[in-house]
Amino acid sequence: MSATRTVERPSNRTVTPPTRQRRGRRLVLGTPLPPWYVQAAKALVLGVFCALVIAPFVAIISTSIAPRDQISRAGGLVLWPDAVNLDAYRSILSGGVVTQAALISVGVTVVGTALSLFTSCLLAYGLSRPGSFASRPMLLIILFSMLFSAGIIPTYLLVRGVGLIDTLWALILPTMISGFNVVVLRSFFMNIPGELLESARIDGAGEWRIFSGIVIPSRRRCWR
Amino acid sequence: MPPSTAERLAPPVEAAPSEPVGAAHRRPRLPWWRRLSRDRMLVLFALPGMLAVLLFQYVPLLGNVIAFKAYQPFLGIGESPWVGLENFRIIFNGDPAFLAALRNTLILTGLQALLVFPAPIVLALLLNSLFSDRIKRLVQNVLYLPHFLSWVIVVAVFQQMLGGSGLLNNFLRTHDMAALEIIGNPDVFHLLLTAQIIWKDTGWATIIFLAALSTVDPQLYEAAAVDGAGRLRQMWHITLPALKGVIILLFILRLGDSLSVGFEQIILQQAAVGRGVSEVLDTYVYNNGIVGGQWGVSAAVGLVKGVVGVILVLGANKVAHIFGEQGVYKS
C-alpha cells in the first residue's frame, strides 16, 4: 500500500474502513484524494476566477505602456505590449489635473487614516477599562450607531450646517469613527494585562505615557 | 483616600449583594464625581471620538424631522412649516419614480441575496478543499485585490472590458461573431451590477469564511474518514456546520443593510441606462432631494428606509435567537 499520511488509530471496529484499502491513492486526513477529473475541474474554476480578476489589470497596464500604433491596430486594448512606451505617463504626470488629483487623494487618505486611527484608538482605550466612568453608556452609544444610519439628507444638511461643505474635511470627519473598528480595538486593548499598566503607573507614568508607550506598540500585532 | 491602582485597573467585582465573599471584596461604590475624577484621563481620551460619533451619527437623526415639514432652505429647519404625514402620502400614493425606485431596490436586494451572498461561501469551500497551502494563499491574495479599488475604477474597468469597443467585443468582432451589448443595455443592467459586486467583493468576503473554516480541528476529518465518510459527507457534517454561525451572523448584518444596494456604483452608470432600471431608493433620495430640491419627500423616503433597516436587523436577530444562534448581540 502506498505511504499514507494518516495516523494509525486503535479502533474497536471489526470492519476495516474502505479508505485504508485503496491502493495507489494518497490519503490526506484519512480520505483519498478526489479523482483527477474533480481536481481538474477545481483547478479550472479557480483558474477562470483568477484570470477574470487579473486579466483586466494586465490589459489596462499593458495598454498604458504600449506603443500607439499597436493600440490602434488592436482596436483600443492590448493584452501584452510589444515595447514599452511611457509617453502616456509623462503627459499626465507633468503637472495639471491628474497630478493635483493624485496629491489630493494621497493627502486625504493619509490624513484621514491617521486621524481615524488615532481617535479610534483613543476612544477604544478609553472604553477598555470596565468599570470606568460612563464606559458602559458610551459603549452602548457606539454599538447602537452601528445599526443604523441617519440618511443622506440629514447628514448632508448637518455637514452643511457645520460649515464643512466645500472643504476636504467633509471627506474625513463624518466617517472618522467606525463602530466596528472601535469594538475590535477595544477587545484587543482589554486583553492587555492590567498588571502591565499598573506597574507602569507605579513607575510614575501618566495615562498618556501609558497609552503611547505600552498600548500602541502592543497594538502593532492588531494591524495585521 | 485615593483608590489604589489595583482598584482602578481591575474589573469591578460586581458580585451579588448577598455574597459575603470576604471583607476585602466588599467595596462601596464611589459617588459619581469621585469616579469621574479617578477616570478623568480615560474619559478625556474617549471624548473626541464620542463627540464625532454623537455629531455625525446621532445629530442627523434629529434632522429627520424634515420628513414632517415642508423644508425650504432659506427658512431653515426651525422655521419651515409642519405638514405632518403629507410627504409620506405623496410617496405611498404611487409616485411612479418612487415605485420604480422601490422595485429596482427589491430586485437588486433579491439578486444580491441569491448570488452575491453565497458566492464567497462557495469559493471558501472550494479553497478550503485545496491541499496545497501555497496555492490557497496565492489564489486568495489574487482574488481579494479588487476589493481595494474604488467603484470609479471598477466601473471603468468593466466598461473597458465589456463595453462597445472593449476587450470582449473586439475579440468577438475579430472572430466574426456578433458583438454583445452589455454596457448601456437596460435589460441586463441588474445582472451587470450584481456581476460587478461579485467581481469586486467575493475574494474579500471569503477571508472571513476561510478564517472560520480554519478553526475546524483536522482530527474531526480524520475521525469521519475512519468512520467511512467520503468527501461530500465530510463537507456536509463537518465543514458546513462550522460555517453556520458565521453565515447567520453575516446574514443578519447584511439584512439590516439590505435596502442599501449601492450608491456610488449606480450613480456612475445611471446616465448610460436611464433612471427606469437604475434608480434605487438611495439614488432617488439623492436625485430628488439634494439635486432636485424636494427635501421633504426625499427625507421621508430616507427615514422609511432607515426604519425598515432597523426593524429587519432586530427581527433577524430575534429569529437567530429562536434558532439558538448568538446573533449580533445577546438580548
Side-chain angles (χ1 to χ4, degrees):
Chain A
M1 194 156 143
S2 61
T4 72
R5 290 221 223 135
T6 55
V7 173
E8 289 293 345
R9 265 199 181 80
S11 164
N12 38 14
R13 286 178 170 265
T14 52
V15 177
T16 316
T19 53
R20 288 175 193 269
Q21 290 194 331
R22 303 249 175 99
R23 305 190 130 262
R25 280 282 196 84
R26 209 156 63 93
L27 292 170
V28 176
L29 289 181
T31 322
L33 286 184
W36 67 271
Y37 46 87
V38 172
Q39 286 186 309
K42 265 198 260 185
L44 188 67
V45 169
L46 284 178
V48 165
F49 280 161
C50 291
L52 283 178
V53 167
I54 297 188
F57 295 114
V58 168
I60 290 180
I61 296 180
S62 301
T63 311
S64 72
I65 59 176
R68 197 170 291 186
D69 51 337
Q70 184 189 4
I71 298 179
S72 45
R73 254 185 298 127
L77 265 187
V78 185
L79 271 184
W80 195 255
D82 292 333
V84 174
N85 180 346
L86 294 178
D87 277 344
Y89 288 100
R90 245 173 257 139
S91 71
I92 62 172
L93 289 178
S94 60
V97 180
V98 176
T99 318
Q100 186 177 356
L103 287 177
I104 292 181
S105 295
V106 169
V108 168
T109 306
V110 167
V111 170
T113 309
L115 200 61
S116 172
L117 205 57
F118 183 64
T119 42
S120 298
C121 280
L122 276 184
L123 180 59
Y125 179 66
L127 294 180
S128 68
R129 298 293 129 198
S132 63
F133 180 74
S135 71
R136 200 171 177 82
M138 288 202 279
L139 187 64
L140 285 178
I141 290 178
I142 304 240
L143 285 180
F144 195 58
S145 80
M146 273 172 31
L147 286 182
F148 63 84
S149 90
I152 300 180
I153 302 248
T155 312
Y156 170 77
L157 290 175
L158 172 75
V159 171
R160 194 177 70 179
V162 175
L164 290 182
I165 296 284
D166 284 340
T167 68
L168 286 175
W169 291 107
L171 298 175
I172 299 177
L173 290 181
T175 51
M176 192 168 66
I177 302 277
S178 149
F180 185 72
N181 292 348
V182 170
V183 166
V184 169
L185 285 174
R186 174 180 174 263
S187 65
F188 188 76
F189 287 155
M190 281 171 73
N191 282 336
I192 298 179
E195 291 80 15
L196 196 60
L197 304 177
E198 180 188 338
S199 63
R201 220 178 294 268
I202 290 178
D203 284 343
E207 200 73 43
W208 178 253
R209 183 83 181 82
I210 291 180
F211 181 67
S212 59
I214 298 180
V215 171
I216 295 293
S218 78
R219 201 194 145 272
R220 283 221 182 92
R221 279 194 296 132
C222 194
W223 288 4
R224 311 231 177 105
Chain B
M1 180 186 82
S4 73
T5 49
E7 264 180 286
R8 282 171 70 182
L9 291 169
V13 178
E14 286 180 322
S18 61
E19 209 184 82
V21 185
H25 289 268
R26 297 255 308 272
R27 186 179 71 232
R29 204 166 151 84
L30 293 171
W32 70 268
W33 60 87
R34 293 286 291 278
R35 281 188 294 136
L36 177 57
S37 150
R38 174 192 73 181
D39 297 326
R40 61 187 181 280
M41 283 307 284
L42 288 179
V43 173
L44 206 60
F45 280 177
L47 214 51
M50 287 305 298
L51 284 179
V53 167
L54 286 174
L55 182 62
F56 290 108
Q57 304 272 45
Y58 283 90
V59 170
L61 280 184
L62 302 174
N64 272 316
V65 78
I66 287 180
F68 303 100
K69 291 189 166 207
Y71 175 74
Q72 287 162 48
F74 58 87
L75 287 180
I77 300 185
E79 304 301 317
S80 300
W82 291 95
V83 290
L85 296 177
E86 186 59 37
N87 289 326
F88 295 88
R89 213 164 296 143
I90 295 179
I91 307 169
F92 290 112
N93 269 349
D95 176 22
F98 173 73
L99 288 180
L102 187 63
R103 201 193 70 233
N104 287 328
T105 308
L106 292 177
I107 293 178
L108 285 172
T109 303
L111 276 179
Q112 284 184 14
L114 207 58
L115 298 174
V116 175
F117 190 74
I121 302 177
V122 170
L123 194 57
L125 289 174
L126 197 57
L127 279 178
N128 192 52
S129 73
L130 290 180
F131 303 110
S132 164
D133 228 8
R134 250 188 0 197
I135 298 185
K136 202 191 289 191
R137 246 177 302 136
L138 177 71
V139 171
Q140 211 179 327
N141 287 339
V142 164
L143 286 182
Y144 71 52
L145 286 179
H147 171 80
F148 299 108
L149 302 174
S150 72
W151 274 116
V152 179
I153 309 266
V154 174
V155 168
V157 164
F158 267 77
Q159 280 173 349
Q160 294 274 25
M161 296 296 123
L162 302 176
S165 58
L167 201 61
L168 178 68
N169 281 330
N170 273 350
F171 177 77
L172 290 177
R173 255 181 240 129
T174 53
H175 289 77
D176 289 328
M177 289 189 266
L180 291 173
E181 190 190 338
I182 303 179
I183 308 282
N185 182 355
D187 298 323
V188 297
F189 187 63
H190 294 151
L191 290 174
L192 176 66
L193 286 180
T194 312
Q196 286 172 346
I197 298 179
I198 293 180
W199 187 83
K200 183 175 191 280
D201 280 329
T202 301
W204 180 256
T206 59
I207 293 183
I208 298 184
F209 294 112
L210 278 177
L213 286 177
S214 67
T215 63
V216 172
D217 190 355
Q219 292 188 4
L220 282 177
Y221 292 107
E222 291 187 24
V226 166
D227 284 343
R231 300 205 66 85
L232 279 184
R233 207 156 252 288
Q234 286 176 17
M235 184 178 298
W236 181 255
H237 285 285
I238 303 177
T239 317
L240 286 184
L243 285 181
K244 191 172 72 153
V246 179
I247 291 181
I248 292 188
L249 176 69
L250 287 180
F251 189 70
I252 293 177
L253 288 177
R254 183 91 194 65
L255 206 58
D257 249 354
S258 60
L259 291 182
S260 303
V261 289
F263 178 75
E264 220 179 307
Q265 176 197 16
I266 300 180
I267 282 277
L268 287 169
Q269 304 176 78
Q270 206 168 46
V273 287
R275 290 220 193 148
V277 279
S278 65
E279 190 90 305
V280 293
L281 290 179
D282 281 329
T283 57
Y284 176 85
V285 170
Y286 173 72
N287 282 324
N288 277 46
I290 299 186
V291 175
Q294 287 184 350
W295 301 94
V297 173
S298 309
V301 172
L303 186 59
V304 168
K305 180 172 165 290
V307 167
V308 170
V310 171
I311 293 179
L312 282 176
V313 166
L314 296 178
N317 202 50
K318 198 41 123 183
V319 169
H321 285 157
I322 292 177
F323 277 100
E325 294 291 332
Q326 192 188 355
V328 176
Y329 58 89
K330 290 192 270 275
S331 56

